[in-house]
């Protein structure tokens, strides 16, 4: 078996790296995305792959036949199925690309394998119903999952929906429900385990990554703060470092007991006899002593399984990097699923 892959909604190339990590023979024939920043990053790291700056809806059967593909890897926009995206489902314009692929699938008799990723919650949508209907109509057998990288001992919670589809019945496990584990995995050889293994050296960090005083004053109690020995982080979203609550974890370089002592002092600060001016000054000093900072784009990329060779072009800003990473996939988890997808008959 030699996979000839079309990568749809390709972003910064997470599926490409996952495929390489899987060790399955083949190549990415082409990648398609409409985001120019994402395409710039993809091309910067994968110059041998044809990247089409195009809307997926413009693809037709003739184009797909010409590419001579037998596999599709795709991560359609998740915004139609998220709270922030107002859950417009198939009424959201960003769902139209997936719906277009659904309309093409019954005619794509040359495609043997499909892996699709989306946000947790997609499984209850109308878009999901139409996608599954299209798979059945096209003669695919499929298995569904809700998985997080933490199940591979990677310290990052990122629950996502995955669907593996192939034209034969030979999955090694039944498909009557959505799996919350990968049944074929017995142990995990590659483990990050704790945060300290993904941290950049302090001398490589700039003050730009420190949480500013205004944010500390207003939002410190809403932050998910982790230390170097922590074994988990929140899901990093595209709004990381722009909004605080629910967009990703904040790093504290102190030992946990030191951090807790400072928070205890902050908790009891208002009960003292000092003037409000002195209390404000002491509070500011205590907050600054935490040395709280955002995870760098490199650290987020490491948590998401991207290799050290992965880089961003110089013109991509940190805010754009976080946005692009937040829209991508966990490379290591998807690589395991590609192995399952391609188990030999």
């Amino acid at each position: 078996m030699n996979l000839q892959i079309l990568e749809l909604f390709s972003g910064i190339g997470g599926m490409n790296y996952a495929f390489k990590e899987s060790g399955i023979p083949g190549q990415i024939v082409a990648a398609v995305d409409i985001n120019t920043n994402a395409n710039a990053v993809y091309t910067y790291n994968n110059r041998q792959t044809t990247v089409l700056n195009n809307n997926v809806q413009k693809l037709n059967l003739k184009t797909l036949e010409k590419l001579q593909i037998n596999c599709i890897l795709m991560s359609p926009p998740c915004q139609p199925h998220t709270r922030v995206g107002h859950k417009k489902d198939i009424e959201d314009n960003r769902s139209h690309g997936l719906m277009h692929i659904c309309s093409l699938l019954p005619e794509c008799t040359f495609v043997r394998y499909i892996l699709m990723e989306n946000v947790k919650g997609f499984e209850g949508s109308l878009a999901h119903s139409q996608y599954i209907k299209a798979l059945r109509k096209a003669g695919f057998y499929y298995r569904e999952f809700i998985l997080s990288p933490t199940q591979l001992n990677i310290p990052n919670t990122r629950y996502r929906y995955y669907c593996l589809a192939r034209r034969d019945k030979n999955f090694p496990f039944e498909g009557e429900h959505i799996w919350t584990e990968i049944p074929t995995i017995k142990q995990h050889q590659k483990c990050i385990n704790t945060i300290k293994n993904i941290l950049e050296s302090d001398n490589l960090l700039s003050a730009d990554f420190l949480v500013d005083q205004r944010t500390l004053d207003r939002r410190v109690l809403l932050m998910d703060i982790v230390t170097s020995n922590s074994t988990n982080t929140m899901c990093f979203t595209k709004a990381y470092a722009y909004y605080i609550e629910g967009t990703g974890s904040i790093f504290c370089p102190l030992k946990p007991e030191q951090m807790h002592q400072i928070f205890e002092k902050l908790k009891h600060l208002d009960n003292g006899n000092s003037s409000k001016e002195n209390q404000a000054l002491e509070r500011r000093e205590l907050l600054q002593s935490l040395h709280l900072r955002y995870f760098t784009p490199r650290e987020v990329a490491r948590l998401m399984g991207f290799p050290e060779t992965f880089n961003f072009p110089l013109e991509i800003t940190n805010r754009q990097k976080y946005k692009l990473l937040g829209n991508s996939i966990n490379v290591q988890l998807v690589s395991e699923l590609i192995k399952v997808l391609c188990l030999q008959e």
Side-chain angles (χ1 to χ4, degrees), residues 314-329:
L314 291 177
E315 66 270 18
I316 302 297
T317 66
N318 281 333
R319 184 172 176 182
Q320 290 170 334
K321 291 175 185 178
Y322 289 129
K323 185 174 182 179
L324 293 167
L325 287 165
N327 282 331
S328 192
I329 64 165

Side-chain angles (χ1 to χ4, degrees), residues 178-333:
I178 296 180
W179 288 84
T180 55
E181 61 180 357
I182 304 176
T184 58
I185 291 184
K186 303 300 181 184
Q187 60 182 355
H188 312 301
Q189 301 293 331
K190 297 180 67 174
C191 301
I192 297 177
N193 296 322
T194 61
I195 299 305
K196 64 182 177 183
N197 294 317
I198 60 95
L199 296 176
E200 292 198 78
S201 300
D202 289 341
N203 60 1
L204 297 177
L205 301 176
S206 70
D208 295 339
F209 293 108
L210 290 173
V211 180
D212 64 90
Q213 190 64 48
R214 179 183 174 88
T215 302
L216 288 173
D217 290 336
R218 294 185 172 190
R219 295 284 186 259
V220 70
L221 296 180
L222 299 175
M223 296 175 183
D224 179 64
I225 302 173
V226 298
T227 63
S228 60
N229 289 323
S230 296
T231 57
N232 196 13
T233 52
M234 288 181 63
C235 177
F236 291 91
T237 75
K238 67 178 185 177
Y240 185 63
Y242 186 65
Y243 294 111
I244 287 295
E245 191 174 4
T247 63
S249 299
I250 300 296
F251 178 68
C252 177
L254 304 180
K255 293 181 179 180
E257 55 270 23
Q258 294 175 308
M259 182 179 71
H260 294 317
Q261 287 173 3
I262 292 173
F263 274 105
E264 281 299 311
K265 290 179 181 179
L266 285 166
K267 181 179 178 181
H268 295 98
L269 188 60
D270 293 335
N271 298 327
N273 297 321
S274 303
S275 66
K276 288 186 178 180
E277 183 178 344
N278 287 337
Q279 285 180 355
L281 179 61
E282 187 175 354
R283 175 181 170 82
R284 172 167 291 203
E285 290 175 347
L286 286 170
L287 288 173
Q288 290 178 348
S289 70
L290 288 167
H291 303 292
L292 298 181
R293 70 166 177 85
Y294 298 102
F295 283 89
T296 69
R298 169 61 66 189
E299 291 166 343
V300 176
R302 287 172 177 167
L303 280 172
M304 296 179 67
F306 283 84
E308 292 300 295
T309 54
F310 172 79
N311 280 301
F312 290 94
L314 291 177
E315 66 270 18
I316 302 297
T317 66
N318 281 333
R319 184 172 176 182
Q320 290 170 334
K321 291 175 185 178
Y322 289 129
K323 185 174 182 179
L324 293 167
L325 287 165
N327 282 331
S328 192
I329 64 165
N330 186 278
V331 170
Q332 189 175 335
L333 180 51

Side-chain angles (χ1 to χ4, degrees), residues 143-144 174-180:
R143 299 291 184 269
E144 299 177 280
E174 54 89 14
E176 297 303 314
H177 66 280
I178 296 180
W179 288 84
T180 55

